[in-house]
Amino acid sequence: MKDNNNTEQPQKQEFLFDGINYKILLIGIGVIALGFILMSGGGSDNPNVFNEDVFSFRRIRLAPTTVLIGFGITIYSIFKKSK
């Protein structure tokens, strides 16, 4: 017996998120990258000389906070409901 309901229509590919979710996700990734850039540096060319810049406010407080905010933005973009 033949099944006449085999007329398959091309299905439109749907993305998992909306466009705004992807924009927020890219912003979050950018903020995370900024935090890691702020964390870099502070090394010394001479291993016998200690550089106090390792313990600066930027590397101890600002950079990790920026990375955590970036992770928060990224998580928000994942959980944001589509309309």
Coordinates of all heavy atoms in Angstrom, one line a residue:
M1 N 0.8 -1.2 0.0 CA 0.0 0.0 0.0 C 0.9 1.2 0.0 O 1.8 1.3 0.8 CB -0.9 0.0 1.2 CG -1.9 1.0 1.3 SD -3.0 0.6 2.6 CE -4.3 1.7 2.2
K2 N 0.6 2.2 -0.9 CA 1.4 3.4 -1.0 C 0.9 4.4 0.0 O -0.3 4.6 0.2 CB 1.3 4.0 -2.4 CG 2.2 3.2 -3.3 CD 2.2 4.0 -4.6 CE 3.2 3.4 -5.5 NZ 3.3 4.1 -6.8
D3 N 1.8 5.2 0.6 CA 1.5 6.3 1.5 C 1.6 7.6 0.7 O 2.7 8.0 0.3 CB 2.4 6.3 2.7 CG 2.0 7.2 3.8 OD1 0.9 7.8 3.6 OD2 2.7 7.4 4.7
N4 N 0.6 8.3 0.5 CA 0.6 9.5 -0.3 C 1.0 10.7 0.6 O 1.0 11.8 0.1 CB -0.8 9.8 -0.9 CG -1.1 8.8 -2.0 OD1 -0.2 8.2 -2.6 ND2 -2.4 8.6 -2.2
N5 N 1.3 10.5 1.8 CA 1.7 11.6 2.7 C 3.2 11.8 2.7 O 3.8 12.4 3.6 CB 1.2 11.4 4.1 CG -0.3 11.5 4.2 OD1 -0.9 12.1 3.4 ND2 -0.8 10.9 5.2
N6 N 3.9 11.3 1.7 CA 5.4 11.5 1.6 C 5.8 12.8 1.0 O 6.9 12.9 0.6 CB 6.0 10.3 0.8 CG 6.1 9.0 1.7 OD1 5.9 9.1 2.9 ND2 6.3 7.9 1.0
T7 N 4.9 13.7 0.8 CA 5.3 15.0 0.2 C 6.0 15.8 1.3 O 5.4 16.5 2.1 CB 4.0 15.7 -0.3 OG1 3.1 15.8 0.8 CG2 3.4 14.9 -1.4
E8 N 7.3 15.7 1.3 CA 8.1 16.4 2.3 C 8.4 17.8 1.8 O 8.8 18.0 0.7 CB 9.4 15.6 2.6 CG 9.2 14.3 3.2 CD 10.5 13.6 3.5 OE1 11.5 14.3 3.6 OE2 10.5 12.4 3.7
Q9 N 8.1 18.7 2.7 CA 8.4 20.1 2.4 C 9.7 20.4 3.0 O 10.1 20.0 4.0 CB 7.3 21.0 3.0 CG 5.9 20.8 2.4 CD 4.9 21.6 3.1 OE1 5.2 22.3 4.1 NE2 3.7 21.5 2.7
P10 N 10.5 21.2 2.2 CA 11.8 21.6 2.8 C 11.6 22.4 4.1 O 10.9 23.4 4.1 CB 12.4 22.5 1.7 CG 11.3 22.8 0.7 CD 10.2 21.8 1.0
Q11 N 12.3 21.9 5.1 CA 12.1 22.6 6.4 C 13.1 23.7 6.5 O 14.3 23.6 6.1 CB 12.4 21.6 7.5 CG 11.3 20.5 7.6 CD 11.5 19.5 8.7 OE1 12.5 19.6 9.4 NE2 10.6 18.7 9.0
K12 N 12.6 24.8 7.1 CA 13.5 25.9 7.4 C 14.4 25.6 8.6 O 13.9 25.2 9.6 CB 12.6 27.2 7.7 CG 13.4 28.4 8.0 CD 12.4 29.5 8.3 CE 13.2 30.7 8.8 NZ 12.3 31.8 9.3
Q13 N 15.7 25.9 8.4 CA 16.6 25.6 9.5 C 16.5 26.7 10.6 O 16.6 27.9 10.3 CB 18.1 25.6 9.0 CG 19.1 25.5 10.1 CD 20.1 24.5 9.7 OE1 20.2 24.0 8.6 NE2 21.0 24.2 10.6
E14 N 16.3 26.2 11.8 CA 16.2 27.2 12.9 C 17.4 27.1 13.7 O 18.0 26.1 14.0 CB 14.9 26.8 13.7 CG 13.6 27.0 13.0 CD 12.4 26.7 13.9 OE1 12.6 26.9 15.1 OE2 11.4 26.3 13.4
F15 N 17.8 28.3 14.2 CA 19.0 28.4 15.1 C 18.5 28.1 16.5 O 17.3 28.3 16.8 CB 19.6 29.7 14.9 CG 20.4 29.9 13.6 CD1 19.8 30.8 12.7 CD2 21.5 29.3 13.4 CE1 20.5 31.0 11.5 CE2 22.2 29.4 12.2 CZ 21.7 30.3 11.2
L16 N 19.4 27.8 17.3 CA 19.1 27.5 18.7 C 18.7 28.8 19.5 O 17.8 28.8 20.3 CB 20.3 26.8 19.4 CG 20.1 26.3 20.8 CD1 19.0 25.3 20.9 CD2 21.4 25.7 21.4
F17 N 19.4 29.9 19.1 CA 19.1 31.2 19.8 C 18.7 32.2 18.8 O 18.9 32.0 17.6 CB 20.4 31.7 20.5 CG 20.8 30.8 21.6 CD1 22.1 30.2 21.6 CD2 20.1 30.4 22.7 CE1 22.6 29.4 22.5 CE2 20.5 29.6 23.7 CZ 21.8 29.1 23.6
D18 N 18.2 33.3 19.3 CA 17.9 34.4 18.4 C 19.2 35.2 18.1 O 20.2 35.0 18.8 CB 16.9 35.4 19.1 CG 15.4 34.8 19.0 OD1 15.2 33.9 18.2 OD2 14.6 35.2 19.8
G19 N 19.1 36.2 17.2 CA 20.2 37.0 16.9 C 20.7 37.8 18.1 O 21.9 38.0 18.3
I20 N 19.8 38.3 19.0 CA 20.2 39.1 20.1 C 21.0 38.2 21.1 O 21.9 38.7 21.7 CB 19.0 39.7 20.8 CG1 19.4 40.7 21.9 CG2 18.0 38.7 21.4 CD1 20.0 42.0 21.3
N21 N 20.7 37.0 21.2 CA 21.4 36.1 22.1 C 22.9 36.0 21.7 O 23.8 36.0 22.5 CB 20.8 34.7 22.2 CG 19.4 34.7 22.8 OD1 18.5 35.2 22.2 ND2 19.3 34.2 24.0
Y22 N 23.1 35.8 20.3 CA 24.4 35.7 19.8 C 25.2 37.0 20.0 O 26.4 37.0 20.3 CB 24.4 35.3 18.4 CG 24.0 33.9 18.1 CD1 22.8 33.6 17.6 CD2 24.8 32.8 18.6 CE1 22.4 32.3 17.4 CE2 24.4 31.5 18.4 CZ 23.2 31.2 17.8 OH 22.8 29.9 17.6
K23 N 24.5 38.2 19.9 CA 25.2 39.5 20.1 C 25.6 39.6 21.6 O 26.8 40.0 21.8 CB 24.3 40.6 19.7 CG 24.1 40.7 18.2 CD 23.1 41.8 17.9 CE 22.8 41.8 16.4 NZ 21.7 42.7 16.0
I24 N 24.7 39.2 22.5 CA 25.1 39.3 23.9 C 26.2 38.3 24.2 O 27.1 38.6 25.0 CB 23.8 39.0 24.8 CG1 22.8 40.1 24.6 CG2 24.2 38.9 26.3 CD1 21.4 39.8 25.2
L25 N 26.2 37.1 23.6 CA 27.2 36.1 23.8 C 28.6 36.7 23.3 O 29.6 36.5 24.0 CB 26.9 34.9 23.1 CG 27.9 33.7 23.2 CD1 27.9 33.1 24.6 CD2 27.5 32.6 22.2
L26 N 28.6 37.3 22.2 CA 29.9 37.9 21.7 C 30.4 39.0 22.6 O 31.6 39.2 22.8 CB 29.7 38.4 20.3 CG 29.6 37.3 19.2 CD1 29.3 37.9 17.8 CD2 30.8 36.5 19.2
I27 N 29.5 39.8 23.1 CA 29.9 40.9 24.1 C 30.5 40.2 25.3 O 31.5 40.7 25.8 CB 28.6 41.8 24.4 CG1 28.2 42.6 23.2 CG2 28.9 42.6 25.6 CD1 26.9 43.3 23.4
G28 N 29.9 39.2 25.8 CA 30.4 38.5 27.0 C 31.8 37.9 26.8 O 32.7 38.0 27.6
I29 N 32.0 37.3 25.6 CA 33.3 36.8 25.2 C 34.3 37.9 25.1 O 35.5 37.8 25.6 CB 33.2 36.0 23.9 CG1 32.4 34.7 24.2 CG2 34.6 35.6 23.4 CD1 32.1 33.9 22.9
G30 N 33.9 39.1 24.6 CA 34.8 40.2 24.5 C 35.2 40.7 25.9 O 36.3 41.1 26.1
V31 N 34.2 40.7 26.8 CA 34.5 41.2 28.2 C 35.5 40.2 28.9 O 36.4 40.6 29.6 CB 33.2 41.4 29.0 CG1 33.5 41.6 30.5 CG2 32.4 42.5 28.4
I32 N 35.3 38.9 28.7 CA 36.2 37.9 29.2 C 37.6 38.1 28.7 O 38.6 38.1 29.4 CB 35.7 36.5 28.9 CG1 34.4 36.2 29.7 CG2 36.8 35.4 29.3 CD1 33.7 34.9 29.3
A33 N 37.7 38.3 27.4 CA 39.0 38.6 26.8 C 39.7 39.8 27.3 O 40.9 39.8 27.6 CB 38.9 38.7 25.2
L34 N 38.9 40.9 27.5 CA 39.4 42.1 28.1 C 40.0 41.8 29.5 O 41.0 42.3 29.9 CB 38.3 43.2 28.2 CG 38.7 44.5 28.9 CD1 39.8 45.2 28.1 CD2 37.5 45.3 29.1
G35 N 39.3 41.0 30.3 CA 39.7 40.7 31.6 C 41.1 40.0 31.6 O 42.0 40.2 32.4
F36 N 41.2 39.0 30.7 CA 42.5 38.3 30.6 C 43.6 39.2 30.1 O 44.8 39.1 30.5 CB 42.4 37.1 29.7 CG 41.8 35.9 30.4 CD1 40.5 35.5 30.1 CD2 42.5 35.3 31.4 CE1 39.9 34.4 30.8 CE2 41.9 34.2 32.1 CZ 40.7 33.8 31.8
I37 N 43.3 40.2 29.2 CA 44.3 41.2 28.8 C 44.7 42.0 29.9 O 45.9 42.3 30.1 CB 43.7 42.0 27.6 CG1 43.6 41.1 26.3 CG2 44.6 43.2 27.3 CD1 42.8 41.8 25.2
L38 N 43.8 42.4 30.8 CA 44.1 43.2 32.0 C 45.0 42.5 32.9 O 45.8 43.0 33.7 CB 42.8 43.7 32.7 CG 42.0 44.8 32.0 CD1 40.7 45.0 32.7 CD2 42.8 46.1 31.9
M39 N 44.8 41.2 33.0 CA 45.6 40.3 33.9 C 47.0 40.1 33.4 O 47.9 39.8 34.2 CB 44.9 39.0 34.0 CG 44.7 38.5 35.4 SD 43.9 36.8 35.4 CE 42.2 37.2 35.1
S40 N 47.3 40.3 32.2 CA 48.6 40.0 31.6 C 49.7 41.0 32.0 O 49.3 42.1 32.4 CB 48.5 39.9 30.1 OG 48.3 41.1 29.5
G41 N 50.9 40.7 31.8 CA 52.0 41.6 32.1 C 52.5 41.5 33.5 O 52.1 40.6 34.3
G42 N 53.4 42.4 33.9 CA 53.9 42.4 35.2 C 55.1 41.5 35.5 O 55.5 41.4 36.6
G43 N 55.6 40.9 34.5 CA 56.7 40.0 34.6 C 58.0 40.8 34.7 O 58.1 42.0 34.6
S44 N 59.1 40.1 35.0 CA 60.4 40.7 35.1 C 61.4 40.0 34.2 O 61.3 38.8 34.0 CB 60.9 40.6 36.6 OG 62.2 41.2 36.7
D45 N 62.3 40.8 33.6 CA 63.3 40.2 32.7 C 64.4 39.5 33.5 O 64.9 38.5 33.0 CB 63.9 41.3 31.8 CG 62.8 41.9 30.8 OD1 61.9 41.2 30.5 OD2 63.0 43.1 30.4
N46 N 64.7 40.0 34.6 CA 65.7 39.5 35.5 C 65.1 38.6 36.5 O 64.3 39.1 37.4 CB 66.5 40.6 36.1 CG 67.7 40.1 36.9 OD1 67.9 38.9 37.0 ND2 68.5 41.0 37.3
P47 N 65.3 37.3 36.6 CA 64.7 36.5 37.6 C 65.1 36.8 39.1 O 64.5 36.3 40.0 CB 65.1 35.0 37.2 CG 66.3 35.2 36.4 CD 66.2 36.5 35.7
N48 N 66.2 37.5 39.2 CA 66.6 37.9 40.6 C 66.0 39.1 41.1 O 66.1 39.5 42.3 CB 68.2 38.1 40.6 CG 68.9 36.8 40.3 OD1 68.4 35.7 40.7 ND2 70.0 36.9 39.6
V49 N 65.2 39.8 40.3 CA 64.5 41.1 40.7 C 63.0 40.8 40.8 O 62.4 40.3 39.8 CB 64.8 42.2 39.7 CG1 64.1 43.4 40.1 CG2 66.3 42.4 39.6
F50 N 62.4 41.1 41.9 CA 61.0 40.9 42.1 C 60.3 42.2 41.6 O 60.6 43.3 42.0 CB 60.7 40.6 43.6 CG 59.2 40.4 43.8 CD1 58.6 39.2 43.3 CD2 58.4 41.3 44.4 CE1 57.3 39.0 43.6 CE2 57.1 41.1 44.6 CZ 56.5 39.9 44.2
N51 N 59.2 42.0 40.9 CA 58.5 43.1 40.4 C 57.1 43.2 41.1 O 56.3 42.3 41.1 CB 58.2 42.9 38.9 CG 57.6 44.2 38.2 OD1 57.3 45.1 38.9 ND2 57.5 44.1 36.9
E52 N 56.9 44.3 41.8 CA 55.7 44.5 42.6 C 54.4 44.7 41.8 O 53.3 44.7 42.3 CB 55.9 45.8 43.5 CG 56.8 45.6 44.7 CD 56.2 44.6 45.8 OE1 55.0 44.6 45.9 OE2 57.0 44.0 46.4
D53 N 54.6 44.9 40.5 CA 53.4 45.1 39.6 C 52.5 43.9 39.5 O 51.4 44.0 39.1 CB 53.9 45.5 38.2 CG 54.4 46.9 38.1 OD1 54.1 47.7 39.0 OD2 55.1 47.2 37.1
V54 N 53.0 42.8 40.0 CA 52.2 41.6 40.0 C 51.0 41.7 40.9 O 49.9 41.2 40.7 CB 53.0 40.3 40.4 CG1 52.2 39.1 40.6 CG2 54.1 40.1 39.4
F55 N 51.2 42.5 42.0 CA 50.2 42.7 43.0 C 49.4 44.0 42.9 O 48.9 44.5 43.8 CB 50.8 42.6 44.4 CG 51.4 41.3 44.7 CD1 52.8 41.2 44.8 CD2 50.6 40.1 44.8 CE1 53.3 39.9 45.1 CE2 51.2 38.9 45.0 CZ 52.6 38.8 45.2
S56 N 49.3 44.5 41.6 CA 48.6 45.8 41.5 C 47.1 45.6 41.5 O 46.6 44.5 41.3 CB 49.0 46.4 40.1 OG 48.5 45.6 39.1
F57 N 46.4 46.7 41.7 CA 44.9 46.6 41.8 C 44.3 46.0 40.5 O 43.4 45.3 40.5 CB 44.4 48.0 42.0 CG 42.9 48.1 41.9 CD1 42.1 47.7 42.9 CD2 42.3 48.6 40.8 CE1 40.7 47.8 42.8 CE2 40.9 48.7 40.6 CZ 40.1 48.3 41.7
R58 N 44.9 46.4 39.4 CA 44.4 46.0 38.1 C 44.5 44.4 38.0 O 43.5 43.8 37.5 CB 45.2 46.6 37.0 CG 44.7 46.3 35.6 CD 45.6 46.9 34.5 NE 46.9 46.2 34.5 CZ 47.7 46.2 33.5 NH1 47.4 46.8 32.4 NH2 48.8 45.6 33.5
R59 N 45.5 43.8 38.4 CA 45.7 42.4 38.2 C 45.0 41.6 39.3 O 44.6 40.4 39.1 CB 47.2 42.0 38.2 CG 47.8 42.5 36.9 CD 49.2 42.1 36.8 NE 49.8 42.6 35.5 CZ 50.4 43.8 35.5 NH1 50.5 44.5 36.5 NH2 50.8 44.2 34.3
I60 N 44.9 42.1 40.5 CA 44.3 41.4 41.7 C 42.8 41.5 41.8 O 42.1 40.6 42.1 CB 45.0 41.8 43.0 CG1 46.5 41.5 42.9 CG2 44.3 41.2 44.2 CD1 46.8 40.0 42.9
R61 N 42.3 42.7 41.5 CA 40.9 43.0 41.7 C 40.1 43.2 40.4 O 39.1 42.6 40.2 CB 40.7 44.2 42.6 CG 41.3 44.1 44.0 CD 40.4 43.4 44.9 NE 40.9 43.4 46.2 CZ 40.9 42.3 47.0 NH1 40.4 41.2 46.5 NH2 41.4 42.4 48.2
L62 N 40.6 44.1 39.6 CA 39.9 44.6 38.4 C 39.7 43.4 37.3 O 38.6 43.2 36.8 CB 40.5 45.8 37.8 CG 39.8 46.4 36.6 CD1 38.5 46.9 36.9 CD2 40.7 47.5 36.0
A63 N 40.8 42.8 37.0 CA 40.8 41.8 35.9 C 40.0 40.6 36.3 O 39.1 40.2 35.5 CB 42.2 41.3 35.6
P64 N 40.1 40.0 37.5 CA 39.2 38.8 37.8 C 37.7 39.2 37.9 O 36.9 38.5 37.5 CB 39.7 38.4 39.2 CG 41.1 38.8 39.3 CD 41.1 40.1 38.5
T65 N 37.4 40.4 38.4 CA 36.1 40.9 38.4 C 35.5 41.1 37.0 O 34.4 40.7 36.7 CB 36.0 42.3 39.2 OG1 36.5 42.1 40.5 CG2 34.5 42.7 39.3
T66 N 36.3 41.6 36.1 CA 35.9 41.7 34.7 C 35.7 40.4 34.1 O 34.7 40.2 33.3 CB 37.0 42.5 33.9 OG1 37.3 43.7 34.6 CG2 36.6 42.8 32.5
V67 N 36.5 39.4 34.3 CA 36.3 38.1 33.8 C 35.0 37.5 34.3 O 34.2 36.9 33.6 CB 37.5 37.1 34.1 CG1 37.2 35.7 33.8 CG2 38.7 37.6 33.4
L68 N 34.7 37.6 35.6 CA 33.5 37.1 36.2 C 32.2 37.8 35.6 O 31.2 37.1 35.4 CB 33.5 37.2 37.7 CG 34.5 36.3 38.4 CD1 34.5 36.6 39.9 CD2 34.1 34.8 38.2
I69 N 32.3 39.1 35.4 CA 31.2 39.8 34.8 C 31.0 39.3 33.4 O 29.9 39.1 32.9 CB 31.5 41.3 34.8 CG1 31.4 41.9 36.2 CG2 30.5 42.1 33.9 CD1 31.8 43.3 36.4
G70 N 32.1 39.0 32.7 CA 32.0 38.4 31.3 C 31.3 37.1 31.3 O 30.5 36.8 30.5
F71 N 31.6 36.2 32.3 CA 31.0 34.9 32.4 C 29.5 35.1 32.7 O 28.7 34.4 32.2 CB 31.6 34.1 33.5 CG 32.9 33.4 33.1 CD1 34.0 33.5 33.9 CD2 33.0 32.8 31.9 CE1 35.2 32.9 33.5 CE2 34.2 32.2 31.5 CZ 35.3 32.3 32.3
G72 N 29.2 36.1 33.6 CA 27.8 36.4 33.9 C 27.0 36.8 32.6 O 25.9 36.4 32.4
I73 N 27.6 37.7 31.8 CA 26.9 38.1 30.6 C 26.7 36.9 29.7 O 25.7 36.8 29.0 CB 27.8 39.2 29.9 CG1 27.8 40.5 30.8 CG2 27.3 39.5 28.5 CD1 28.8 41.5 30.3
T74 N 27.7 36.1 29.6 CA 27.6 34.9 28.7 C 26.5 33.9 29.2 O 25.7 33.5 28.4 CB 29.0 34.2 28.7 OG1 30.0 35.1 28.3 CG2 28.9 33.0 27.7
I75 N 26.4 33.7 30.5 CA 25.4 32.8 31.0 C 24.0 33.5 30.8 O 23.1 32.8 30.4 CB 25.7 32.6 32.5 CG1 26.9 31.7 32.6 CG2 24.4 31.9 33.2 CD1 27.4 31.5 34.1
Y76 N 23.9 34.8 30.9 CA 22.7 35.5 30.7 C 22.2 35.3 29.2 O 21.1 35.1 28.9 CB 22.8 37.0 31.0 CG 21.6 37.8 30.6 CD1 20.4 37.7 31.3 CD2 21.6 38.6 29.5 CE1 19.3 38.4 30.9 CE2 20.5 39.3 29.0 CZ 19.4 39.2 29.8 OH 18.3 39.9 29.4
S77 N 23.2 35.4 28.3 CA 22.8 35.2 26.9 C 22.3 33.8 26.6 O 21.5 33.6 25.7 CB 24.0 35.6 26.0 OG 25.0 34.5 26.1
I78 N 22.8 32.8 27.3 CA 22.3 31.5 27.1 C 20.9 31.3 27.7 O 20.1 30.6 27.1 CB 23.3 30.5 27.7 CG1 24.6 30.5 27.0 CG2 22.7 29.1 27.8 CD1 25.8 29.7 27.7
F79 N 20.6 31.9 28.8 CA 19.4 31.7 29.5 C 18.3 32.6 29.0 O 17.1 32.4 29.4 CB 19.5 31.8 31.0 CG 20.2 30.6 31.6 CD1 21.3 30.7 32.4 CD2 19.7 29.3 31.4 CE1 21.9 29.6 33.0 CE2 20.3 28.2 32.0 CZ 21.4 28.3 32.8
K80 N 18.6 33.6 28.3 CA 17.6 34.6 27.8 C 16.6 33.9 26.9 O 17.0 33.2 26.0 CB 18.3 35.8 27.1 CG 17.4 36.9 26.7 CD 18.1 38.0 26.0 CE 17.3 39.1 25.6 NZ 16.0 38.8 25.0
K81 N 15.3 34.1 27.2 CA 14.3 33.5 26.5 C 14.1 34.2 25.1 O 14.2 35.4 25.0 CB 12.9 33.6 27.2 CG 12.9 32.9 28.5 CD 12.2 31.6 28.3 CE 12.0 30.9 29.6 NZ 11.7 29.6 29.6
S82 N 13.8 33.4 24.1 CA 13.5 33.9 22.8 C 12.0 34.3 22.8 O 11.2 33.8 23.5 CB 13.7 32.8 21.7 OG 15.0 32.4 21.8
K83 N 11.7 35.3 21.9 CA 10.3 35.8 21.8 C 9.5 34.9 20.9 O 9.9 34.2 20.1 CB 10.3 37.2 21.4 CG 10.8 38.1 22.4 CD 10.7 39.6 22.0 CE 11.2 40.5 23.1 NZ 11.1 41.8 22.7

